[in-house]
């Protein structure tokens, strides 16, 4: 978290602890909190938390958290129970806050707010915070216990009919970590069909992306093209692809009897193009997917919040693809490359939070990359030679 905030904001947040809304919190100096349910997650000042009028903060959504964050340092610096040396230390950090803000990656603060929101309200994160607060964790629903996996992995689709038939319909279960997905994709690239579908979504998505972006990525499958896929691409008038080339397709269409065709399938010519293809998938296909379940449609309609900044998204998509072992070749993207876990990279590689700040100035590089037509022409010349 520290890489996403200034020293001032980071240490301001350390003056807070997790709390739950109770009936006694209903009345406040600013009026009544009528619409907050008992048990709703929030934060409270650590210094006055044991007093009758302790300062507590509850936000209805992540945008309100971000927009009203200034209330927190406003209270801490005035709190009568906060030690004078703590206040002075915060004031010293505040003096260099503006300078540090100008050097932080654009959008990094919003990434932190999303992390904070999920820690307060996501079930697994909330259970761990309850234990930190010293209270008894709420009893976990039996349905969740049955479907929970200790690997904390992303959702995957498991075939019902034939374990070796990746086109068979499947059910969503919890499982497969990023490392396991990278291994499965590497085996897929070698010709071994996976026993379950590989999603573009990975564990780390929730640490960096908005709910909207996480949801869209969870609806895309990563696959290696077969001879049938090559024929379908030619029939759909897509640019030439080759067997084994990595593509992405709508998971809902892929498990249907008709399969994924047209705008449900994309073959990004290079890793940096995945971001643009996913944006197109979201705007053109997902909102009108003929195979989408009602649950998917309802979920998509509720996710009206802001998406992640493009500077964050572009860099994250590259590193998330690399975490799956996807790499560029003269014949398009391929699986089986070196899997580089996000946050645990070699010293010569920039960490995601460090590299985001370079993206605003380097976006022109993406726009100057070879076009699809150029890539196609280059491949044809290679085939002729």
């Amino acid at each position: 978290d520290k890489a996403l905030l200034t020293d001032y904001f980071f240490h301001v947040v350390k003056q807070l602890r997790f709390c739950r809304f109770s009936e006694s919190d209903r009345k406040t100096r600013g009026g009544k909190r009528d619409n907050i349910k008992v048990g709703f997650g929030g934060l409270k000042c650590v210094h006055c938390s044991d007093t009758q009028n302790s300062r507590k903060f509850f936000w209805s959504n992540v945008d309100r958290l971000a927009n009203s964050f200034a209330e927190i340092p406003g209270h801490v610096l005035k709190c009568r129970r906060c030690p004078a040396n703590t206040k002075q230390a915060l004031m010293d950090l505040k003096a260099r806050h503006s300078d540090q803000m100008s050097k932080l990656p654009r959008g990094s603060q919003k990434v932190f707010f999303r992390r904070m929101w999920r820690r307060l309200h996501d079930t697994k994160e909330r259970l761990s915070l309850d234990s930190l607060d010293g209270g008894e964790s709420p009893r976990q629903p039996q349905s969740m216990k049955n479907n929970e996996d200790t690997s904390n992995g992303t959702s995957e689709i498991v075939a019902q009919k034939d374990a070796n038939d990746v086109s068979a319909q499947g059910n969503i279960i919890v499982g497969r970590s990023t490392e396991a997905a990278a291994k499965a994709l590497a085996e897929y690239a070698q010709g071994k069909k996976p026993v379950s579908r590989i999603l573009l979504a990975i564990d780390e998505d929730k640490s960096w992306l908005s709910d909207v972006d996480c949801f869209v990525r969870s609806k895309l499958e990563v696959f290696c093209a077969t001879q049938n896929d090559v024929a379908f691409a030619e029939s759909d008038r897509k640019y030439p692809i080759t067997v084994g080339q990595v593509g992405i397709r709508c998971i809902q269409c892929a498990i249907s009897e008709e399969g994924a065709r047209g705008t449900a399938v994309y073959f990004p010519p290079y890793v940096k193009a995945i971001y643009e293809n996913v944006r197109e998938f979201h705007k053109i296909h997902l909102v009108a997917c003929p195979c989408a379940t009602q649950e998917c449609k309802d979920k998509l309609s509720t996710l009206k919040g802001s998406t992640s900044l493009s500077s964050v998204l572009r860099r994250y998509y590259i590193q998330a693809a690399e975490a799956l072992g996807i790499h560029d070749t003269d014949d398009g993207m391929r699986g089986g490359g070196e899997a580089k876990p996000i946050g645990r990279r070699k010293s010569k590689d920039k960490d995601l939070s460090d590299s985001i700040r370079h993206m605003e100035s380097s976006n022109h590089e993406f726009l100057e990359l070879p076009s699809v037509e150029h890539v196609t022409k280059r491949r044809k010349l290679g085939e002729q030679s």
Side-chain angles (χ1 to χ4, degrees):
D1 291 346
K2 196 171 184 179
L4 302 172
L5 301 171
T6 65
D7 292 337
Y8 174 58
F9 273 2
F10 178 77
H11 286 282
V12 164
V13 174
K14 288 177 73 91
Q15 311 309 308
L16 305 170
R17 66 180 297 184
F18 174 71
C19 68
R20 285 190 177 282
F21 187 83
S22 63
E23 198 59 49
S24 61
D25 298 320
R26 188 76 59 191
K27 292 183 179 180
T28 180
R29 281 168 287 184
K32 280 191 74 174
R33 296 163 169 158
D34 293 325
N35 299 323
I36 303 179
K37 294 181 179 180
V38 172
F40 191 77
L43 296 171
K44 62 183 177 181
C45 173
V46 298
H47 305 291
C48 59
S49 61
D50 59 346
T51 64
Q52 184 176 2
N53 296 317
S54 61
R55 188 68 168 93
K56 298 181 180 181
F57 304 88
F58 300 97
W59 302 275
S60 58
N61 56 57
V62 67
D63 291 324
R64 294 208 173 185
L65 186 162
N67 293 334
S68 60
F69 185 77
E71 295 178 8
I72 297 175
H75 164 76
V76 174
L77 293 174
K78 294 179 180 179
C79 181
R80 296 180 180 180
R81 300 290 295 272
C82 181
N85 60 338
T86 300
K87 292 182 180 180
Q88 185 57 52
L90 288 174
M91 290 301 295
D92 292 341
L93 293 176
K94 187 178 181 179
R96 57 176 187 261
H97 171 70
S98 296
D99 181 58
Q100 289 184 341
M101 276 290 289
S102 65
K103 296 176 182 178
L104 276 176
R106 185 167 177 260
S108 62
Q109 197 166 276
K110 190 62 177 287
V111 171
F112 171 75
F113 289 141
R114 289 197 186 100
R115 289 184 182 181
M116 179 189 289
W117 177 260
R118 288 182 177 123
R119 288 167 189 166
L120 293 175
H121 300 287
D122 277 12
T123 302
K124 290 183 182 180
E125 299 277 7
R126 194 170 69 241
L127 291 174
S128 63
L129 286 172
D130 276 324
S131 63
L132 290 176
D133 191 42
E136 183 180 354
S137 297
R139 185 168 297 178
Q140 198 171 0
Q142 187 64 35
S143 60
M144 177 172 288
K145 291 181 180 180
N146 293 339
N147 290 319
E148 195 167 66
D149 184 90
T150 56
S151 64
N152 294 324
T154 56
S155 296
E156 62 175 289
I157 305 295
V158 177
Q160 284 182 320
K161 300 178 181 178
D162 183 352
N164 293 317
D165 180 11
V166 294
S167 64
Q169 288 191 326
N171 291 325
I172 299 178
I173 66 169
V174 175
R176 186 175 282 157
S177 64
T178 305
E179 293 78 9
K183 182 180 179 181
L185 185 59
E187 293 175 347
Y188 200 172
Q190 297 298 319
K192 181 181 178 181
K193 291 183 178 180
V195 296
S196 57
R197 296 176 186 273
I198 304 167
L199 295 186
L200 184 65
I202 60 176
D203 294 342
E204 292 79 5
D205 286 3
K206 282 194 172 184
S207 294
W208 293 98
L209 305 180
S210 68
D211 291 340
V212 176
D213 297 312
C214 289
F215 182 75
V216 173
R217 285 173 59 86
S218 73
K219 296 304 176 184
L220 281 163
E221 175 191 10
V222 180
F223 69 102
C224 296
T226 63
Q227 195 61 55
N228 285 338
D229 295 319
V230 172
F232 288 150
E234 183 177 353
S235 174
D236 293 339
R237 296 186 178 181
K238 294 183 182 290
Y239 46 87
I241 64 169
T242 57
V243 173
Q245 185 173 338
V246 170
I248 54 177
R249 61 189 173 195
C250 174
I251 189 70
Q252 299 171 118
C253 292
I255 63 177
S256 68
E257 293 182 0
E258 295 78 11
R261 298 287 299 272
T263 59
V265 185
Y266 294 86
F267 288 97
Y270 28 73
V271 171
K272 285 187 177 181
I274 296 177
Y275 164 70
E276 294 290 353
N277 283 172
V278 173
R279 282 188 64 192
E280 186 176 335
F281 164 79
H282 180 196
K283 293 180 179 180
I284 297 178
H285 179 81
L286 186 58
V287 294
C289 178
C291 300
T293 62
Q294 189 59 48
E295 181 182 2
C296 174
K297 294 176 182 178
D298 293 341
K299 180 71 173 178
L300 194 59
S301 65
T302 61
L303 296 174
K304 298 298 183 182
S306 58
T307 62
S308 308
L309 288 172
S310 61
S311 56
V312 176
L313 281 171
R314 288 185 190 279
R315 191 60 196 167
Y316 180 80
Y317 268 67
I318 293 171
Q319 294 198 3
E322 291 174 346
L324 290 173
I326 300 174
H327 62 288
D328 292 330
T329 71
D330 289 338
D331 292 321
M333 299 192 311
R334 299 279 164 166
E338 178 187 3
K340 301 178 181 180
I342 296 176
R344 299 196 302 275
R345 292 170 177 265
K346 297 179 181 179
S347 58
K348 66 179 181 179
D349 294 325
K350 297 182 186 298
D351 182 73
L352 180 59
S353 57
D354 293 329
S355 62
I356 288 174
R357 71 189 66 195
H358 300 291
M359 289 306 297
E360 291 300 311
S361 60
S362 63
N363 276 348
H364 68 278
E365 294 182 8
F366 179 87
L367 299 176
E368 293 174 358
L369 284 169
S371 63
V372 170
E373 291 78 9
H374 181 80
V375 172
T376 302
K377 183 177 180 181
R378 185 179 64 185
R379 290 179 186 167
K380 287 183 178 178
L381 291 174
E383 292 173 359
Q384 291 175 359
S385 60

